[in-house]
Amino acid sequence: MATPTRKAAIVGGNRIPFARSNTAYAQASNQDMLTATLDGLVARFGLQGESVGEVVAGAVLKHARDFNLTRESVLGSQLSPTTPAYDIQQACGTGLEAAILVANKIALGQIEAGIAGGVDTTSDAPLAVGDDLRRTLISLNNAKTVADRLKALARIRPGQLVPEIPRNAEPRTGLAMGDHAAITAKEWQIGREEQDELAVLSHQNMAAAYDRGFFDDLVTPYLGLTRDNNLRPDSSVEKLATLKPVFGTGDPDATMTAANSTPLTDGASAVLLASDEWAEAKGLPVLAHLVDAQTAAVDYVHGGEGLLMAPVYAVPVMLARNGLTLQDFDFYEIHEAFASTVLATMKAWEDPAYCKGKLGLDAPLGSIDRSKLNVNGSSLAAGHPFAATGGRIVAQLAKQLHEAGPGKRGLISICAAGGQGVVAILES
Amino acid sequence: MSDWYTNFVNSGVGTTISKQLGLPRPAVLRRYEPGEPLLPGPVVVGTAGGGRLRDTVTAVLRDAGVTVLSPVAADGSTDGEKLGAVVLDATGLSGPGDLAAAHDFLAPAIRRLRASGRVVVLADPPAQAETPAQAAARQAVDGLTRSIGKELLNGSTANAIYVPEGAEASLASPLTFFLSGRSAYVDGQGVTLAAADVPASGDPEKPLAGKVAVVTGAARGIGASIAQVVARDGAHVVAVDIPAAGDSLAKVANEIGGTALQLDITAPDAPQRLVEHLRERHGGVDIVVHNAGITRDKLLVNMDAARWNSVMAVNLQAQLDITQALLDDGDVLKPGARVVSVSSQSGIAGNRGQTNYAASKAGVIGMVRAWAPRFAERGATINAVAPGFIVTEMTAKMPFGRREIGSRINSLSQGGLPVDVAETIAWLAQPGSAGVNGQVVRVCGQSMLGA
Ligand SMILES: NC(=O)c1ccc[n+]([C@@H]2O[C@H](COP(=O)([O-])OP(=O)(O)OC[C@H]3O[C@@H](n4cnc5c(N)ncnc54)[C@H](O)[C@@H]3O)[C@@H](O)[C@H]2O)c1
């Protein structure tokens, strides 16, 4: 590294409770949710009328009219209207990538403080019209005379009026993300029971965290919801065992169910990052610092790698740069897109042949202490509003590290559509 | 929340109808607005007994820009200049005979009182009298003041301030409060002052400038109003409420430029979390308002343990635990700190179906009185405010009959507003209120209940 830089501090975060698709937030737009989330953050940290260096956020499913989603949300919030903002999108990595971008600008001294966030609604997802109808509408628009217009209209067929519902599918393979994950699960021989166990633990950990007040300064209720409505504190392995698989169902031994996969979810999150000096001057806490981050991508189309395996590649690069081993962490936050993804990720790091062959490592990264994994619950319990998950994890991990005391280290690993992965290290 | 009845009977057609029907016509009360004069007219100051406070009173009034007149002649005329307030200095009474002078002074003066006028009577505390005759005369002031409160019309109030020898410097803040629109719904009350180091007064529009205040139960109702008024007076407000109320709590905090702290005050670690938050974020706290409260009404014979326990936990035990944690911490409670606890009329009068609630709210009064000497040692104060019938979303849901009766059985014939409770609390929180400690101030329009 050329010049030594300062590390960005994580001051705190805010999110609204996450809601399963078409439930509590069915009538809320991305802008509504992001604005409410920013306002909750403003209230928590007394930022009314404040102009922070930058607000960076994004949504994975975004209407064309929301081209300036983050800036519009800032304008509707209690932040100063002179706060600049921009949108980003890196699928499920959006939230963490936003935090990395803000942290980098802080580290370079370009800004003193910033807010990173993300929002997604699968209830108010943009609907697209098919190509046929689009062509007809264009000629209608171009028609000069009434007769031409009527002619154009006459070409519309009922079948064209059904909008293309956005699918959670990879454009290049046509496979749902869950079906991709099922392929990986099979490859790594991830069993049904271990997936269900991981899911149950996520619910139990998150319910316990709510009960002990852990989320009191991380979540602000919204539209009548006070906790994530996907959360099932009474979830049990026995109950989950009764569910039918929903992904990879071509295989009689399919293992992935609606319970060990994340549901479609609506929600938003935001994280306040700053220089130590800015936080100090405002009397605000420093929960942790963002130490380093890494992204990676895999060729899941032709390269024989699983769609969600990119974080497996990103982590060793980041560890090497920081002189750390996989075991040098007090907490691990591996995003639970699917229980099988978390399990395959860990198995890959333990596998000598894979680590040598694919990751080019002399020795496997080894195993991680499961009692340090997703200790306050993760996406299987909270749900996964794509772009909002990164902010949830960053704020949650920063608080965990702060509670554990100074000098504690945490690893974040988030897989994303398109065969990408975003990972980061936080330290208290 | 507006009082439709008061607005109605004071409208043109409403006035005619209510007069014909003989309905009570509650006045529109004069309430504090920043920038307005302390009083809408001049004050007459009179004495009965020795009257050692005349000069102090005159100085306070002149400082506040109020014109001070000599006692009006007992000519029975009601037309001379209308008065904003009448102040009787009855310190130095030696026996009941001295009270005749009080009558001679008050009667003609009160005839000339404007609407929303003020009568304030100053006396020595009866408990510190040297002879039974002196105690009798001092105690008589209480009956006199309360009765004047009941006779006054048009939103005027009467209150007493008991000023022990040596506590003269403590008088300015309570006297100003009782004269001002801040005390609109405080009627028939008495506060007893103590000698204290009263700091020089700062900006009268921002008496709480630079202070950090915690208000519990701030997401709505009276608590939200307290947060607004305390912020208006210059303090930074840490607004506390249960996490489930976080949405409206954030709105309150954002409206007043404060901060939101989602915290269930009954959680076992709540006192410690609050103390840590105040230390880390603000370096301590100057003002603590224990406002959060709940009701779980049932006749005692039908009451389950859950109702009893939850009311006790929120209304009383949490106040005790948080206050104790603040005291134990050493320096988080800043010098000159002010703690104000919200009690209730039910805690004074008792209320059918509210054994749990009334017990908790009476307990608050016991707590405040017991802690007052400890607070005095650190130049701090702790007081209770007991609201009467306050018009909130909660009372708006009461059945019409009960609500109407509840709001009318007081000398001002109307319910109070959350802001009336808030103004009283903000006054007790002022640095200048150093000499008001261990007191219970009712904000009840001189309710007939528990009087
Ligand atoms: N409204 C009246 O007429 C009246 C009369 C006398 C006394 N009071 C007292 O005034 C206070 C405020 O009353 P209100 O009418 O505004 O009631 P309210 O119910 O509108 O507001 C009370 C607030 O306290 C909060 N709260 C409850 N339990 C809490 C806990 N464990 N931790 C943190 N916050 C908690 C609630 O969420 C709510 O926001 C109460 O102490 C009440 O007993 C009210």
Side-chain angles (χ1 to χ4, degrees), chain A residues 268-287:
Chain A
S269 68
V271 180
L272 176 62
L273 296 107
S275 66
D276 287 357
E277 298 76 30
W278 188 91
E280 161 101 39
K282 290 236 174 296
L284 295 175
V286 171
L287 301 181

Side-chain angles (χ1 to χ4, degrees), chain A residues 39-40 42-46 48 78 212-213 215-224 226 282-286 402, chain B residues 236 242-247 249-251 253-264 269 273 277 280-282:
Chain A
D39 277 347
V42 167
R44 184 159 298 141
F45 296 108
Q48 299 89 358
Q78 298 287 328
R212 72 181 170 93
F215 289 108
D216 283 2
D217 57 0
L218 292 173
V219 175
T220 304
Y222 183 58
L223 299 183
T226 57
K282 290 236 174 296
L284 295 175
V286 171
H402 184 63
Chain B
H236 173 89
I242 50 171
D247 203 357
L249 185 69
K251 292 199 175 83
N254 281 342
E255 213 175 279
I256 61 172
T259 45
L261 175 64
Q262 301 184 159
L263 180 71
D264 180 342
D269 60 350
R273 276 162 65 186
H277 181 89
E280 182 168 52
R281 295 276 289 272
H282 305 285

Side-chain angles (χ1 to χ4, degrees), chain B residues 204-272:
Chain B
E205 300 262 294
K206 296 275 174 210
L208 307 181
K211 304 290 180 191
V212 173
V214 168
V215 179
T216 67
R220 65 176 206 190
I222 295 172
S225 191
I226 297 167
Q228 280 152 5
V229 168
V230 168
R232 179 205 66 196
D233 283 355
H236 173 89
V237 175
V238 179
V240 176
D241 212 298
I242 50 171
D247 203 357
S248 42
L249 185 69
K251 292 199 175 83
V252 170
N254 281 342
E255 213 175 279
I256 61 172
T259 45
L261 175 64
Q262 301 184 159
L263 180 71
D264 180 342
I265 56 166
T266 64
D269 60 350
Q272 169 220 331

Side-chain angles (χ1 to χ4, degrees), chain B residues 34-332:
Chain B
E36 293 210 335
L38 180 65
L39 281 164
V43 181
V44 284
V45 182
T47 50
R52 70 188 146 80
L53 294 172
R54 222 201 130 77
D55 291 346
T56 314
V57 170
T58 308
V60 169
L61 293 171
R62 295 236 159 98
D63 275 358
V66 176
T67 310
V68 182
L69 302 180
S70 314
V72 257
D75 59 2
S77 76
T78 54
D79 44 357
E81 188 173 6
K82 286 277 188 192
L83 302 175
V86 177
V87 177
L88 170 65
D89 176 5
T91 52
L93 295 172
S94 55
D98 291 345
L99 286 163
H103 166 261
D104 293 346
F105 162 69
L106 289 170
I110 287 174
R111 279 175 185 275
R112 292 204 184 164
L113 203 57
R114 282 172 180 264
S116 282
R118 299 286 187 261
V119 175
V120 178
V121 181
L122 312 174
D124 296 293
Q128 294 166 28
E130 272 158 20
T131 66
Q134 196 175 48
R138 291 178 179 184
Q139 190 71 42
V141 167
D142 182 52
L144 169 69
T145 312
R146 289 171 186 255
S147 301
I148 293 171
K150 298 198 174 190
E151 291 181 5
L152 290 174
L153 301 170
N154 295 326
S156 295
T157 64
N159 293 286
I161 305 173
Y162 299 97
V163 190
E165 203 94 45
E168 290 74 19
S170 299
L171 181 61
S173 160
L175 178 62
T176 311
F177 170 71
F178 282 120
L179 294 175
S180 76
R182 291 177 187 265
S183 63
Y185 200 61
V186 183
D187 196 6
Q189 299 303 298
V191 295
T192 302
L193 306 186
D197 284 333
V198 181
S201 57
D203 178 357
E205 300 262 294
K206 296 275 174 210
L208 307 181
K211 304 290 180 191
V212 173
V214 168
V215 179
T216 67
R220 65 176 206 190
I222 295 172
S225 191
I226 297 167
Q228 280 152 5
V229 168
V230 168
R232 179 205 66 196
D233 283 355
H236 173 89
V237 175
V238 179
V240 176
D241 212 298
I242 50 171
D247 203 357
S248 42
L249 185 69
K251 292 199 175 83
V252 170
N254 281 342
E255 213 175 279
I256 61 172
T259 45
L261 175 64
Q262 301 184 159
L263 180 71
D264 180 342
I265 56 166
T266 64
D269 60 350
Q272 169 220 331
R273 276 162 65 186
L274 182 62
V275 166
E276 270 167 25
H277 181 89
L278 292 170
R279 194 188 312 105
E280 182 168 52
R281 295 276 289 272
H282 305 285
V285 64
D286 303 282
I287 298 162
V288 179
V289 183
H290 294 298
N291 163 76
I294 58 169
T295 52
R296 295 286 182 273
D297 297 358
K298 266 280 184 224
L299 292 178
L300 179 66
V301 291
N302 299 328
M303 188 174 299
D304 54 20
R307 279 171 207 269
W308 182 271
N309 293 335
S310 58
V311 166
M312 280 295 164
V314 178
N315 296 8
L316 184 54
Q317 193 63 48
Q319 292 202 13
L320 277 162
D321 292 347
I322 288 171
T323 311
Q324 186 65 55
L326 289 166
L327 287 169
D328 288 349
D329 184 78
D331 59 358
V332 74

